[in-house]
């Protein structure tokens, strides 16, 4: 919507983080999405999360598929390499990129059309393999770029802008991610930055496949009465199970919590997720209980948000494959080529 | 009765039931002939099935070292009642039929112009073994033993092969030697001259030399290891699965860091071909050498991604072990029918580099070279093998690697390059060869990042729908393709023994049959200059070759003359200058087929040529 470029000069009073970057250094190009689009709020949350985590922008590789959501990596982390791939196939490209260089952080941005329809297979298999990444689906239940068709996450009975009632049941990506072994599963709302930023931070610090389903209303095609992905609907039905504080283990914990109201989840990179429980009986480290809870609440029309499941001891595809600790893309002839003596032996064995 | 007499020069075909364990016995037979120093090239003709359907193994023994299929069968080892009639009918007059005579066969089932050798294989095996599985497996070794006696293959050769194969498993070694001797002894005791030895037989020779005997798929896998591939993603499909499987085996052996035990490779069996190529493309974008291996149906699925890699300019290597198409086609038969599907894969204007290896030696070379070319040209590179090369063992030159060779990583700007103030423009032709410089993710904190995509952009990778930006970019891609023509393996020329106005173009698995064809035709007085294409795009020499001849035959293994089409359209050739020779029934092309086709056409066109004085001949 905005067509005026932001000035390049940074105000000298802007706060720098530990690696010397201001928040502006994590921005990208001017968004071309509609004014009020939930996706822009998610981009802002990603910028905030990366700045707060002191990540050097060029250590992130951002990948996406096709659709409104998949355009957004151009609008944040301008100093990172980005790859806008083909429809529904970001997970495979991200998997390959991750295999090539395990030292970078991988941020996959997708939409509900991209991940729940054409890309459901790739979404599912990336979760199964435990590719280390933060996978964010910007979920608005609608195809925006092609002007308002239902997507596969649209709830049965919800109404399109043109008045059509959706008769198909919805694909629940959170439920699928939980079932397939994702080790960090969250749902959030683009309109709740306070909840979303720590969830993104937790996902970026996670040691395995992290998935966040972010309900992100489409202001142009899916923000009307009868939609279950509108700002109003989500605000009314949002049922948060917890709030996250993200901290590194060295910082002093000053806040006092009532006994039993806090779950601490240490991360392999030395950071700590502190979950403040909003539901005393919700245990985010119990996968089966999380699945049962989700099913139960969703049946009542609630949109359950928060960190729904986390496995602090998550492993990833590199560990499963026992790949070299040096990135594969940094290996040279001496590590990769078995040499002539070996080749002579191979030749001899083939006679 | 006439009988075929030939030393070290015959075709023997085994008709078996698949799943009966015959494959390893037949391979043992072929290897034994090789160890006698005699050239042999076997071919499996097998069904898309696990157990119970007919399968054949055809071994060409050739004193001149022809590795192609000749056509015709001199001896049939008929072990499959299902295909008996057709198998017996296929034998050349004067040829030999070897069969299991345990159960008597009616006289009508035989021919009177062939020599019949019946050995009660089942009876011998059942008398010696009690276990049903052993009876079946050793029956195969027993027939190999009987054949070795009939064909004069030395027993010591087998003993050595068994000793190598069953090193440390002495019990298996002994029982195999015993089974072999059961067959040999029976023949010794029950077959007399003139049937022993047969008119066709093997004599020790020194033809093999330092050549190796291997299949194209494992050779390609080894090429990927030597070429430095670190990421492989694949989805099982016949006939390419043995490429990644062999890559896994070689990596387990040669790519595990001795100190840490960590793997200097990553192999993923993906959920489908789209994910396979997607993984390879992601790895290529991020600076690792990556490949996938597949066959025609997989290429169809990968097509969208191939367009992305072409347009976003990502290095990726795709090994296509072709089979019979279209659709599921003939999964276990061979064809060269994916040329156009690969050369122009994806929507919009696209052109891709294809390499055509003709034997396992070149599969090794081209696999490694493809990784270099992919990095150099930043584009998909196809290695176009086929089932005939990929899944059959072939005698070929030993693998070679130049110790001084470095990997060509192409145009990658490092952090230092970026620091030096050199301009980075991802899609700008700064060197005049159409190839732009790229950077790898994470290269530099503030310089060299870009956002790539399959949609249009300007020379600086910024989204653009401006016509001039688009045209600049796609014209540059065309220039890059021209550059590729000079980098790919150049055609191999075989001039005729005397001046001729006829030429022939061939490639890939047609090669061994073609070499034999040229000799057959020369003996008939038909001389051809021959050009073996080794890659697409075509270098200028191809156009010159066609221009230098009145008529050029294009021999290929598909129905629609796909190479012919590409020659005509890419080089603006008058189609009248080319003549198609097409073989596409799924079996490997034979020398007899090509020779017959060309001889017939040459005879017809000779009339035309007479009315057409040619200057060069007078001079």
């Amino acid at each position: 919507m905005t067509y005026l470029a932001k000035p390049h000069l940074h105000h000298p009073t802007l706060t720098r983080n530990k690696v010397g970057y201001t928040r502006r250094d994590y921005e990208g190009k001017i968004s071309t999405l509609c004014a009020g689009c939930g996706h822009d709020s998610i981009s802002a949350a990603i910028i905030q999360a990366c700045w707060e985590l002191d990540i050097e922008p060029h250590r992130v590789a951002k990948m996406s598929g096709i659709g409104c959501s998949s355009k957004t990596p151009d609008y944040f982390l301008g100093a990172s390499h980005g790859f806008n791939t083909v429809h529904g196939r970001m997970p495979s490209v991200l998997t390959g990129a991750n295999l090539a260089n395990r030292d970078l952080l991988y941020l996959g941005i997708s939409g509900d059309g991209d991940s729940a329809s054409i890309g459901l297979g790739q979404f599912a298999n990336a979760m199964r393999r435990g590719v280390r990444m933060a996978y964010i689906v910007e979920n608005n239940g609608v195809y925006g770029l092609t002007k308002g068709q239902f997507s596969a996450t649209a709830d049965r009975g919800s109404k399109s802008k043109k008045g059509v009632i959706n008769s198909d049941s919805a694909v629940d990506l959170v439920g699928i991610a939980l079932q397939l072994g994702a080790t960090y599963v969250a749902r959030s709302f683009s309109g709740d930055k306070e909840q979303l930023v720590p969830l993104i931070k937790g996902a970026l610090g996670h040691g395995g496949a992290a998935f966040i389903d972010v309900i992100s209303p489409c202001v142009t095609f899916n923000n009307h009465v009868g939609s279950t992905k509108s700002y109003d609907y989500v605000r009314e039905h949002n049922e948060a199970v917890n709030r996250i504080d993200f901290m590194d283990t060295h910082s002093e914990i000053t806040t006092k919590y009532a006994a039993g109201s806090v779950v601490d989840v240490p991360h392999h990179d030395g950071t700590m997720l502190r979950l403040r429980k909003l539901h005393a009986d919700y245990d985010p480290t119990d996968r089966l209980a999380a699945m049962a809870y989700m099913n139960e609440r969703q049946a009542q029309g609630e949109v359950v948000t928060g960190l729904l499941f986390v496995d602090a001891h998550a492993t990833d595809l590199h560990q499963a494959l026992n790949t070299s600790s040096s990135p594969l893309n940094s290996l040279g002839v001496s590590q990769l080529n078995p040499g002539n003596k070996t080749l002579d032996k191979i030749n001899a064995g083939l006679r | 009765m006439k009988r075929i007499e030939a030393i070290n020069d015959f075709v023997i075909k085994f008709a078996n039931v698949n799943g009966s364990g015959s494959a390893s016995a037949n391979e043992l037979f072929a290897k034994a002939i090789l160890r006698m120093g005699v050239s042999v090239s076997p071919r499996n003709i097998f069904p898309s099935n696990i157990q119970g359907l007919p399968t054949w193994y055809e071994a060409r023994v050739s004193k001149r070292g022809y590795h192609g299929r000749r056509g015709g069968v001199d001896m049939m080892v008929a072990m499959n009642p299902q295909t008996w009639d057709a198998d017996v009918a296929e034998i050349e007059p004067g040829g030999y039929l070897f069969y299991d005579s345990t159960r008597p066969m009616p006289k009508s089932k035989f021919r009177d112009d062939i020599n019949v050798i019946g050995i009660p294989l089942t009876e011998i095996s059942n008398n010696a073994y009690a276990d049903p599985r052993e009876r079946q497996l050793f029956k195969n070794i027993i027939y190999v033993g009987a054949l070795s006696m009939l064909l004069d293959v030395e027993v010591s050769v087998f003993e050595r092969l068994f000793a190598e194969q069953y090193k440390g498993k002495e019990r298996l070694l002994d029982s195999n030697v015993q089974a072999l001797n059961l067959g040999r002894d029976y023949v010794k005791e029950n077959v007399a001259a003139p049937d022993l030895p047969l008119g066709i037989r093997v004599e020790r020779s020194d033809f093999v030399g330092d050549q190796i005997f291997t299949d194209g798929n494992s050779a390609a896998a080894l090429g990927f290891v030597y070429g430095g591939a670190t990421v492989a993603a694949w989805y099982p499909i016949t006939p390419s699965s043995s490429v990644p499987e062999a890559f896994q085996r070689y990596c387990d052996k040669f790519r595990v860091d001795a100190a840490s035990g960590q793997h200097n490779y990553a192999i993923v069996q993906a959920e489908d071909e789209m994910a396979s190529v997607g993984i390879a493309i992601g790895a290529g974008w991020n600076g690792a050498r990556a490949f996938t291996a597949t066959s025609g149906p997989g290429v169809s699925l990968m097509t969208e991604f191939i367009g992305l890699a072409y347009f976003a300019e990502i290095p990726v290597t795709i090994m296509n072990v072709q089979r019979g198409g279209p659709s599921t086609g003939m999964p276990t038969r061979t064809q060269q029918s994916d040329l156009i599907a690969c050369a122009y894969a994806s929507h919009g204007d696209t052109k891709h580099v294809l390499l055509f290896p003709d034997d396992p030696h070149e599969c090794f070379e081209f696999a490694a070279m493809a990784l270099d070319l992919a990095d150099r040209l930043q584009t998909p590179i196809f290695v176009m093998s086929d089932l005939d090369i990929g899944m059959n063992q072939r005698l070929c030159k030993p693998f070679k690697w130049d110790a001084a060779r470095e990997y060509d990583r192409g145009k990658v700007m490092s952090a230092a390059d970026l620091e030096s103030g050199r301009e980075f423009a991802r899609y700008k032709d700064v060197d005049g060869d159409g190839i732009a410089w790229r950077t790898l993710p994470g290269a530099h904190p503030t310089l060299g990042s870009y956002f790539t995509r399959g949609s249009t952009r300007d020379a600086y990778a910024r989204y653009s729908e401006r016509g001039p930006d688009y045209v600049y970019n796609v014209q540059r891609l065309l220039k890059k393709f021209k550059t590729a023509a000079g980098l790919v393996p150049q055609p191999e020329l075989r001039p005729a023994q005397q001046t001729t106005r006829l030429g022939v173009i061939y490639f890939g698995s047609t090669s061994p049959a073609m070499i034999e064809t040229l000799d057959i035709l020369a003996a008939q007085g038909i001389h051809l200059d021959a050009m073996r294409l080794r890659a697409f795009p075509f270098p200028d020499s191809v156009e010159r070759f066609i221009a230098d001849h009145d008529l050029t035959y294009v021999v290929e293994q598909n129905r629609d003359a796909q190479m012919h089409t590409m020659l005509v359209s890419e080089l603006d050739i008058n189609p009248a200058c080319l003549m198609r020779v097409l073989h596409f029934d799924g079996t490997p092309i034979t020398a007899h087929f090509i020779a017959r086709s060309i001889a017939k056409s040459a005879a017809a066109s000779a009339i035309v040529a007479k009315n057409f004085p040619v200057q060069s001949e007078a001079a």
Side-chain angles (χ1 to χ4, degrees):
Chain A
M1 187 71 183
T2 315
Y3 50 84
L4 292 175
K6 289 186 212 172
H8 281 298
L9 283 174
H10 289 184
H11 196 277
T13 59
L14 280 174
T15 322
R16 293 185 182 276
N17 62 10
K18 279 186 192 154
V19 285
Y21 292 91
T22 72
R23 210 183 148 284
R24 296 290 313 273
D25 295 321
Y26 293 85
E27 291 176 354
K29 292 206 173 71
I30 295 297
S31 168
T32 59
L33 302 175
C34 311
C37 177
H39 297 0
D40 284 333
S41 309
I42 300 171
S43 295
I46 291 168
I47 289 166
Q48 184 72 21
C50 291
W51 179 73
E52 288 180 11
L53 281 176
D54 304 315
I55 293 169
E56 293 178 291
H58 73 293
R59 303 310 294 169
V60 180
K62 44 185 190 173
M63 338 276 293
S64 60
I66 294 291
C68 289
S69 58
S70 292
K71 290 164 79 172
T72 66
D74 210 11
Y75 314 143
F76 57 80
L77 298 180
S80 308
H81 275 66
F83 195 171
N84 181 187
T85 67
V86 285
H87 202 16
R89 321 268 183 238
M90 172 273 284
S92 65
V93 180
L94 190 151
T95 301
N98 182 307
L99 289 174
N101 184 356
R102 63 189 302 173
D103 284 354
L104 300 183
L105 290 172
Y106 292 90
L107 180 57
I109 304 293
S110 181
D112 39 309
D114 202 52
S115 278
S117 300
I118 187 169
L120 190 57
Q122 294 222 340
F123 166 77
N125 284 286
M127 293 300 151
R128 277 178 61 222
R129 287 189 190 106
V131 179
R132 191 181 168 200
M133 62 182 167
Y135 190 124
I136 297 174
V137 167
E138 307 187 344
N139 183 357
N140 57 19
V142 75
Y143 285 86
L145 278 176
T146 52
K147 304 202 186 303
Q149 300 83 0
F150 283 121
S151 86
T153 62
D155 289 308
R156 175 177 275 169
S158 64
K159 198 165 77 175
S160 78
K161 198 178 179 184
K162 286 180 182 155
V164 181
I165 303 294
N166 179 31
S167 56
D168 299 346
S169 60
V171 169
D172 174 21
L173 292 171
V174 159
I176 294 171
L178 278 171
Q179 196 190 18
L180 292 174
T183 45
Y184 182 105
V185 181
R187 182 182 282 135
S188 189
F189 172 45
S190 64
D192 187 352
K193 201 171 172 183
E194 206 185 313
Q195 181 191 48
L196 181 56
V197 172
L199 282 175
I200 294 173
K201 289 164 73 178
L204 285 167
H206 184 65
F211 171 62
I212 313 176
D213 178 27
V214 187
I215 313 291
S216 174
C218 173
V219 287
T220 305
F221 293 108
N222 207 9
N223 198 30
H224 48 269
V225 175
S227 158
T228 58
K229 299 275 192 290
S230 66
Y231 278 109
D232 287 347
Y233 184 92
V234 180
R235 285 202 180 102
E236 276 162 33
H237 295 82
N238 190 344
E239 185 61 37
V241 292
N242 47 31
R243 288 275 158 188
I244 302 184
D245 296 321
F246 194 85
M247 56 194 73
D248 61 54
T249 40
H250 310 298
S251 57
E252 195 187 347
I253 298 165
T254 48
T255 328
K256 294 247 186 286
Y257 296 98
S261 70
V262 164
V263 183
D264 281 339
V265 183
H267 263 72
H268 79 292
D269 61 356
T271 53
M272 175 86 87
L273 286 183
R274 167 148 293 184
L275 296 174
R276 279 177 284 135
K277 287 188 177 181
L278 299 180
H279 287 263
D281 56 349
Y282 190 82
D283 177 4
T285 62
D286 183 339
R287 189 187 291 272
L288 295 179
M291 289 166 79
Y293 184 87
M294 296 287 301
N295 289 337
E296 188 187 300
R297 292 303 165 111
Q298 265 166 219
Q300 292 167 30
E302 286 178 8
V303 180
V304 182
T305 59
L307 179 54
L308 306 169
F309 174 73
V310 62
D311 175 356
H313 308 293
T315 55
D316 82 334
L317 181 59
H318 278 286
Q319 282 160 281
L321 296 174
N322 189 23
T323 35
S324 143
S325 44
S326 313
L328 290 175
N329 71 355
S330 69
L331 304 179
V333 178
S334 61
Q335 290 116 319
L336 301 177
N337 190 301
N340 265 326
K341 262 192 194 151
T342 302
L343 199 55
D344 290 344
K345 258 191 229 162
I346 294 171
N347 280 326
L350 296 171
R351 286 180 183 126
Chain B
M1 192 206 331
K2 176 195 162 198
R3 64 174 207 170
I4 295 173
E5 302 280 344
I7 292 166
N8 292 350
D9 206 7
F10 55 89
V11 175
I12 179 168
K13 190 167 177 178
F14 299 78
N16 299 100
V17 178
N18 85 323
S20 67
S22 58
S24 44
N26 297 342
E27 191 188 323
L28 171 75
F29 173 81
K31 271 206 141 171
I33 295 179
L34 274 185
R35 290 292 178 92
M36 296 278 290
V38 177
S39 162
V40 59
S41 64
R43 284 179 171 78
N44 273 301
I45 301 150
F46 60 101
S48 180
N49 177 264
I50 295 167
Q51 201 176 62
L53 287 187
T55 179
W56 293 270
Y57 185 82
E58 185 182 296
R60 169 83 195 274
V61 179
S62 166
K63 64 181 172 198
R64 288 185 195 85
Y66 295 136
H67 301 317
R69 271 183 85 211
R70 185 196 68 186
V73 174
D74 300 317
M75 179 168 195
M76 179 68 71
V77 180
M79 301 298 293
N80 186 356
Q82 295 171 76
T83 58
W84 174 275
D85 292 341
D87 292 336
V88 171
E90 207 182 338
I91 303 167
E92 294 283 316
Y96 303 84
L97 169 67
F98 176 101
Y99 79 109
D100 180 356
S101 60
T102 306
R103 290 175 64 179
M105 299 278 283
K107 229 183 151 174
S108 62
K109 288 284 177 192
F110 297 91
R111 279 165 51 183
D112 52 15
D113 60 343
I114 54 172
N115 306 283
V116 178
I117 304 112
I119 309 280
L121 298 166
T122 305
E123 192 187 315
I124 302 173
S125 184
N126 288 2
N127 289 341
Y129 305 97
D131 176 57
R133 185 69 192 151
E134 282 194 337
R135 283 177 168 181
Q136 175 57 50
L137 291 179
F138 285 124
K139 186 164 84 177
N140 299 328
I141 303 295
I142 294 168
Y143 77 60
V144 172
L147 286 170
S148 70
M149 200 68 213
L150 290 163
L151 296 168
D152 243 1
V153 187
E154 294 163 14
V155 68
S156 60
V157 169
F158 288 97
E159 286 164 353
R160 226 168 304 134
L161 281 168
F162 282 137
E164 288 167 22
Q165 192 181 348
Y166 300 112
K167 208 169 160 188
K169 300 172 190 162
E170 269 60 34
R171 206 181 59 81
L172 278 172
L173 169 66
D174 293 344
S175 51
N176 275 284
V177 173
Q178 188 204 353
L180 189 87
N181 282 325
L182 284 175
R184 288 184 70 89
D185 293 345
Y186 183 90
V187 171
K188 241 185 275 178
E189 286 154 23
N190 298 282
V191 184
D195 281 342
L196 185 69
L198 301 181
I200 54 171
R201 57 184 178 274
V202 181
E203 228 174 64
R204 197 163 264 287
S205 163
D206 55 2
F207 193 88
V208 174
D210 72 340
Q211 294 182 94
I212 56 169
F213 186 64
T214 188
D215 64 277
N217 282 0
S218 38
L222 191 64
F224 287 129
V225 173
Y226 272 75
T230 50
V231 176
W234 65 293
Y235 187 74
I237 182 170
T238 304
S240 75
S241 301
S242 53
V243 176
E245 283 168 348
F247 184 71
Q248 175 89 55
R249 269 199 313 279
Y250 286 126
C251 283
D252 288 346
K253 240 175 155 173
F254 305 126
R255 282 278 193 84
V256 178
D257 184 77
S260 65
Q262 289 178 337
H263 297 172
N264 290 332
Y265 63 93
I267 302 170
V268 176
Q269 184 192 315
E271 58 269 33
D272 54 40
E273 284 87 347
M274 291 168 283
S276 309
V277 77
I279 289 170
I281 287 170
W285 171 72
N286 212 359
R289 303 198 132 187
F291 77 94
T292 182
T294 189
S295 190
V299 171
S300 292
L301 288 168
M302 292 175 183
T303 297
E304 184 191 26
F305 251 133
I306 292 164
L308 172 73
Y310 173 78
F311 202 49
E313 299 181 66
I314 315 290
V316 63
T317 297
I318 301 162
M319 174 106 199
N320 180 359
V321 187
Q322 298 168 89
R323 66 189 214 183
S327 190
T328 312
M330 293 195 286
T332 60
R333 298 290 190 265
T334 197
Q335 262 183 4
Q336 299 174 316
S337 54
D338 298 339
L339 304 182
I340 287 176
C342 291
Y344 307 104
S346 206
H347 53 272
D349 292 324
T350 56
K351 284 174 197 271
H352 308 294
V353 175
L354 316 180
L355 309 182
F356 306 114
D358 79 332
D359 70 357
H361 177 85
E362 273 193 353
C363 283
F364 172 82
E365 259 188 21
F366 288 9
M369 184 191 298
L371 299 168
D372 274 355
L373 286 171
D375 271 348
R376 170 59 43 188
L377 294 162
Q378 299 171 19
T379 198
I381 308 288
F382 287 89
V383 183
M384 303 291 285
S385 176
D386 62 22
L387 184 142
D388 186 26
I389 302 172
M391 291 189 70
N392 290 311
Q393 291 177 301
R394 185 78 38 85
L395 205 55
C396 64
K397 284 186 287 181
F399 301 134
K400 261 179 118 159
W401 188 266
D402 177 1
R405 177 169 164 185
E406 291 287 332
Y407 298 146
D408 177 8
R409 303 309 313 264
K411 297 185 185 182
V412 180
M413 281 176 82
S414 65
D417 294 336
L418 292 163
E419 289 277 343
S420 74
R422 243 175 81 188
E423 186 196 42
F424 172 64
R426 176 64 186 99
Y427 295 111
K428 192 170 170 183
D429 182 11
V430 289
D431 302 318
D433 56 4
I435 308 168
W437 287 79
R438 63 174 183 143
T439 55
L440 299 182
H444 191 278
T446 53
L447 303 168
S449 71
Y450 68 98
F451 186 68
T452 193
R453 58 210 318 169
S455 34
T456 58
R457 64 287 159 120
D458 64 12
Y460 295 86
R462 293 176 300 218
Y463 185 80
S464 166
E465 291 172 3
R466 288 179 63 238
D469 284 341
Y470 175 82
V471 170
Y472 170 79
N473 198 43
V474 295
Q475 292 286 23
R476 183 179 56 76
L477 289 172
L478 208 54
K479 193 197 274 180
K480 183 165 88 166
F481 200 64
K482 274 226 160 77
T483 301
L487 298 177
V488 297
Q490 301 298 297
E492 197 182 71
L493 205 63
R494 268 177 185 263
Q497 288 155 1
Q498 60 187 69
T499 314
T500 176
R501 293 152 52 201
L502 296 177
V504 61
I505 283 178
Y506 62 103
F507 59 96
S509 65
T510 302
S511 180
M514 193 66 226
I515 290 165
E516 182 172 2
T517 300
L518 293 171
D519 290 350
I520 295 173
L521 290 174
Q524 294 171 18
I526 302 170
H527 298 277
L528 296 124
D529 291 326
M531 175 176 260
R532 177 165 74 89
L533 299 180
R534 301 204 298 161
F536 174 74
F538 308 121
D540 295 342
S541 57
V542 179
E543 197 175 350
R544 279 200 305 274
F545 180 84
I546 296 168
D548 285 350
H549 295 89
D550 287 357
L551 187 65
T552 300
Y553 295 95
V554 182
V555 186
E556 49 188 319
Q557 301 185 52
N558 59 65
R559 184 194 68 181
D560 290 345
Q562 297 187 22
M563 183 63 86
H564 174 278
T565 302
M566 286 162 65
L567 288 166
V568 167
S569 71
E570 292 289 331
L571 303 176
D572 268 337
I573 303 276
N574 176 358
C577 302
L578 302 177
M579 181 76 81
R580 308 157 190 218
V581 178
L582 304 172
H583 179 91
F584 48 89
D585 69 359
T587 60
I589 197 166
T590 66
H592 285 173
F593 172 84
I594 309 173
R596 256 198 324 271
S597 308
I598 292 181
K600 211 164 112 191
S601 148
S605 64
I607 305 157
V608 182
K610 265 183 202 160
N611 304 327
F612 223 97
V614 177
Q615 295 303 318
S616 63
E617 272 194 344

